[in-house]
Amino acid sequence: MIRRRLIGLLLCTAVASGTFSMPAAAAESYDNCKGYIESLPSTITTPGVWCLRGNLTTMMTDGAAIRLGANNVTLDCNGFGITSQHGLDTVVGVRADAVVNVTVRHCRLAAFGTGILLAGDNAVVEDNALHQAMVAGIRTIGDGNVVRRNRVLDTGALLYGVDTWGIDATGQGTRVIDNDVQGVSGSGTAVGLRIQNGVAANNRISDIRPMDGAAVGIRLSGTVAIDNLILQTAIGAAGTGVAGDAGATSLCRSNVIAGFTTAISDCTAVGNTTHP
Amino acid sequence: MNSRTLAALALLAATVSLPGPVRAAESMDNCEGYIDALPATVSTPGVWCLRKDLSTAQAAGAAITLAASDITLDCNGYKVGGLAAGASTDAVGVYANGHGNLAVRGCTVRGFRTGIKLNGRRTLVERNRLDANTEVGIRVEGDMTIVRGNMVNDTGGRPDAWTATAIMAPQQSHVIGNDIQGVQPTGTGNAYGIDLQRGIVRGNRVGGLLPGADGDAMGIRASQALIVRNTLIQRPAGEGMGISGELGGIVCRDNVVVGYAQPQIQCHDVVEGSP
């Protein structure tokens, strides 16, 4: 019995300490690339792994820099960046509409209106860095999507009255896991993570700093929020750490929330640690 | 099947089913340029790599300077060595000042006054190994930085340094999953594992802090921060603070603190309701 308990404790400790959740350790390889994206804009219409092998920039004023136009497409940027030179809110970095089983990974996207916008089921968005998106870093719309291990930094521009989101994920069974969201601003409501009908686990969100509107760490509806760390470091920015929807039951468990005027609202709260 | 076999199978099954890290061999495919000698200055954005161990005896300046934004330095596990300059060196291993969107990964940085010192927004320091740097292992200054998965060993030894610190993050940062072992100032002051203002400190493991005669060991010193699920072990047990929130505004939860006279001070740690 003692041995069994010890093994259980070791497993729990390993999981809790992040032993099993570190990102890939090696530099990128092109071995599994089916083809390459060399210029923008670009549309992928054939399933497979499509890669970048250099940084790309675009002067587009609307549309998408890369469009995933088929099911079962993986875009692997191999750590390279895609930058919008104009910094307009009408340009999307990577976009997919009505396709399934797409993956976007290892991309650095800077200064788009929305960095990654995927509409379709079973999408994976992982290990990307989103810098200075004007409206949203990552948006997914569809069932069974997974958003994990991304860095979403410095989201939001001073577009009058526009709400901004670090990550916005909607759909049954959506999972948003182990992301870092740092710095969300804007003149409307600034939200670190918005999620509906899914699970938000082990995300780290800090520095939500709207100019005029409210700050929200996580806005959720019909969702389980567990083990998230939410810190408001912006001086004088009122807001809510986790804001639920009164019409859809959500569960908030084991989250740590500090610096907001309201820690949790409209969410069944169990075992959280909060501090004003 | 006895209980031992069952337990072993359970452990194996759990390990296999967990999302483990990928441990592929290193690849140079995405390297846009190489650093083959020190000192070096990188002034073009892109992915810059090492393809062999490099060393320098310089006692001032920086071995590698990142002089533009949007640079990734990927050392592919190779070394940037500065031991030859001695314990009094003023040199920095990897340095940037005023540039954003930088990443430094996969580097072994050894024997500098500060191993990695980056001043700029949105920087990432990950999966590096810092050995025997004489005052500070990693120092990041600038909002929205992330320091994760680094190993920082044996920091300290500079003759005139009052303190030694493994990881310093004086602005808004997330410090996640780092291993720190051995911090020992030569002077009489404090030994800090992690020193952070405004940010999140999660899942780090800190041990082996040996302060000077008039100093304290502090596993984590922070203000305006969330300190969660860190493991702080001090052997032999003695004076010092596992987690110090003396500067205000920190929240602690689920940390394991062993061997410190004061496990935590000025840290809000109330769990509300039954978990």
Side-chain angles (χ1 to χ4, degrees), chain B residues 1-83:
Chain B
M1 189 176 292
N2 59 29
S3 60
R4 183 180 301 178
T5 307
L6 279 172
L9 284 172
L11 178 61
L12 177 63
T15 304
V16 170
S17 65
L18 288 164
V22 177
R23 295 296 178 196
E26 297 291 341
S27 166
M28 304 284 189
D29 284 352
N30 67 338
C31 301
E32 295 175 281
Y34 296 94
I35 297 169
D36 290 323
L38 300 179
T41 297
V42 180
S43 53
T44 306
V47 181
W48 291 79
C49 299
L50 264 62
R51 49 188 169 186
K52 62 182 178 180
D53 287 338
L54 299 175
S55 295
T56 175
Q58 67 189 92
I64 298 176
T65 300
L66 308 182
S69 296
D70 300 300
I71 292 172
T72 294
L73 172 64
D74 191 335
C75 295
N76 289 301
Y78 289 113
K79 178 187 72 173
V80 180
L83 283 173

Side-chain angles (χ1 to χ4, degrees), chain B residues 177-238:
Chain B
N178 299 283
D179 282 282
I180 294 168
Q181 180 63 37
V183 181
Q184 183 174 13
T186 303
T188 58
N190 296 338
Y192 299 104
I194 298 170
D195 188 1
L196 171 140
Q197 296 175 42
R198 295 173 56 224
I200 292 173
V201 182
R202 185 190 188 280
N204 301 281
R205 297 154 291 266
V206 180
L209 307 188
L210 294 172
D214 300 325
D216 284 319
M218 294 192 194
I220 298 171
R221 183 174 75 159
S223 63
Q224 274 196 288
L226 308 183
I227 314 296
V228 179
R229 291 189 176 175
N230 301 282
T231 302
L232 313 174
I233 300 176
Q234 185 69 335
R235 289 283 185 260

Side-chain angles (χ1 to χ4, degrees), chain B residues 59-139:
Chain B
I64 298 176
T65 300
L66 308 182
S69 296
D70 300 300
I71 292 172
T72 294
L73 172 64
D74 191 335
C75 295
N76 289 301
Y78 289 113
K79 178 187 72 173
V80 180
L83 283 173
S88 298
T89 181
D90 284 322
V92 175
V94 179
Y95 175 75
N97 187 14
H99 301 291
N101 309 333
L102 303 175
V104 178
R105 66 168 60 103
C107 298
T108 296
V109 183
R110 182 175 298 153
F112 295 92
R113 180 175 183 177
T114 300
I116 297 172
K117 183 177 182 180
L118 305 179
N119 181 324
R121 294 160 65 91
R122 301 179 296 273
T123 59
L124 171 65
V125 180
E126 64 176 359
R127 303 195 309 268
N128 301 285
R129 180 175 184 137
L130 289 297
D131 292 332
N133 295 292
T134 62
E135 188 168 14
V136 178
I138 298 170
R139 180 180 178 118

Side-chain angles (χ1 to χ4, degrees), chain A residues 15 22 34 70 83 111 129 131 137 149 159 170 218 221-222 226 228 267:
Chain A
V15 173
M22 292 310 297
K34 175 180 184 144
T83 301
H131 295 175
R149 300 191 306 266
L159 303 171
T170 302
I218 299 179
S221 176
I226 183 167
N228 299 286
C267 185

